[in-house]
Amino acid sequence: MEIQNNVALATYTSWLIGGPADHFCRPKDVEQLREAQSWARAKGLPITVLSGGSNVLISDQGVRGLVICLKDFAGTEMSVEGGRFRLTVKAGTGKSELLKIFLKEKLAPALFLAGIPGDVGGGVVMNAGVAEAMVPREFTEITEWIEVLKPDGSLKTYQHGELKWSYRHSSGWEPGIITRVGIQWPHRQDPSILEQVRAANKVRLSKQPLDMPSCGSVFVNPPGLKAAQLIDSSGLKGYTVGEAQVSTKHANFIVNLGAAKAQDIWSVIQHVKATVKSQKSVELQTEVVRMGDWA
Ligand SMILES: Cc1cc2nc3c(=O)[nH]c(=O)nc-3n(C[C@H](O)[C@H](O)[C@H](O)COP(=O)(O)OP(=O)(O)OC[C@H]3O[C@@H](n4cnc5c(N)ncnc54)[C@H](O)[C@@H]3O)c2cc1C
C-alpha cells in the first residue's frame, strides 16, 4: 500500500477546508490497516482516522503524522434470518450505500439514513441521527456489534450492550479504528418508504443549505433546546468572517462561501458561542470534530 506525503485534505471534507496531511494512505483491508499502523508506530507518528469527512474541521496547518483515509475500506454482506435483516458493513462504506440497500428492501432505517452523509464507521462514532421523531432515528438502534482494530494490531468485537451510546457520541470501543459494523433490523417491509424518503428530502432541501459546503449542524442541541433557534434569535444568521458564514437558511450551519479557511470557521464558532452565552446564558457545545494542528 502506498503511503503518500504532503497530501491536501480539503477535498476529503464536506467543508472543502483544511491543510495537508504529512503522510496519507487509503487501506482497502485489515492487513493494509495493520501495515499503516506498524508504519506509523515504527516512526513514532500519531494516527488520525478520516472517513467521510462530513463532521471534521481540519486545521489550515494540516495534520501531523499519518492520516488513514477509509474511503477504499468499503463493502457489504447481507443476510435475512429468522425475520431479521442483517448486514456486515466495512467502516468506510458510505451511508448512501446503506440507504440504497434499505430502500431496495423497503425497510424503515432508510428514512433516517437519507438525511446523513458520511460513512458507516463515522455514523457509529458520532451516533449519527436525525432530530425528527421516527424509528429508528440514530445509529445505536440499528447497530448490533462493531469490530475494532486495536493499537496492538488485534481485532476486538464489541456487542451493542458493551458500548455507551449518547446523543451524537459513542464510547467504550476506543482506542482503535472501527473496521466493521454489524447492522440489523426486523425484515418488516414498508411499501411507502421511498415516498417517505422523497418527502423528507424535500423538507430538508427547503430548510438546509445543501448547495453549499458545510458539516451539517455545528453545535449539538442543548437539552430541551434547539441550537439553531438560539443562534437565530441571537441575531447571528449571516454573521461572516472571511468566507465563513452562519447560514442565512439554517442558523446551525456554517457555510463555506468559497475560499473559507479553517481559522475563519473557528472564529465564527467562537463568536456564536460567546454571543449565545451572553444573550441566552446557554453554553453551546460543538458537534464537529477539530483535527490537526491548532497551535
Ligand atoms: C449536509 C450535512 C448534513 C448533516 N446532517 C446530519 C444529521 O442530520 N445528523 C447527524 O448526526 N449528522 C449529520 N451530519 C454530520 C455527519 O454527516 C455525521 O456526523 C457523520 O456520521 C460523520 O461521518 P463521517 O464518515 O463523515 O466521519 P468523519 O467526519 O470522517 O469523522 C468524524 C469522527 O469520527 C472518527 N472516525 C470516523 N470513522 C472512524 C472509524 N472507522 N474508526 C474510528 N474513528 C473514526 C474521525 O476520526 C472523527 O473523529 C451532516 C453533515 C453534513 C455535511
Side-chain angles (χ1 to χ4, degrees), residues 124 143 145-146 158-165 170-173:
V124 170
T143 303
W145 53 266
I146 64 171
Y158 297 85
Q159 299 301 319
H160 178 274
E162 296 177 78
L163 304 172
K164 238 174 122 185
W165 300 88
S170 73
S171 59
W173 55 269

Side-chain angles (χ1 to χ4, degrees), residues 49 51-55 70 95 117 119 122-123 125-126 128-129 168 178 215-216:
V49 179
S51 208
S54 65
N55 207 37
L70 297 178
K95 294 189 193 77
D119 297 337
V125 174
M126 303 304 304
R168 301 298 167 264
I178 298 175
C215 78

Side-chain angles (χ1 to χ4, degrees), residues 30 68 136 145 165 229 269 285:
V30 169
I68 298 183
W145 53 266
W165 300 88
Q229 275 168 14
I269 289 174
Q285 305 292 335

Side-chain angles (χ1 to χ4, degrees), residues 201-224:
N201 282 346
K202 219 169 147 186
V203 171
R204 224 166 268 128
L205 206 56
S206 72
K207 290 188 175 165
Q208 300 179 357
L210 298 180
D211 54 340
M212 300 178 94
S214 80
C215 78
S217 292
V218 173
F219 300 98
V220 290
N221 288 325

Side-chain angles (χ1 to χ4, degrees), residues 12 14-15 48-56 70-71 91-93 95 112 115-132 139 148 168 173 176-179 204 208-210 212-217 253 287 289-291:
Y12 290 92
S14 57
W15 246 326
T48 301
V49 179
L50 184 62
S51 208
S54 65
N55 207 37
V56 291
L70 297 178
K71 277 279 143 238
T93 307
K95 294 189 193 77
F112 95 100
I116 314 172
D119 297 337
V120 172
V124 170
V125 174
M126 303 304 304
N127 188 19
V130 295
E132 296 91 332
F139 259 76
V148 178
R168 301 298 167 264
W173 55 269
I177 302 171
I178 298 175
T179 46
R204 224 166 268 128
Q208 300 179 357
L210 298 180
M212 300 178 94
S214 80
C215 78
S217 292
F253 279 53
E287 178 179 322
V289 177
R290 275 206 305 174
M291 261 182 195

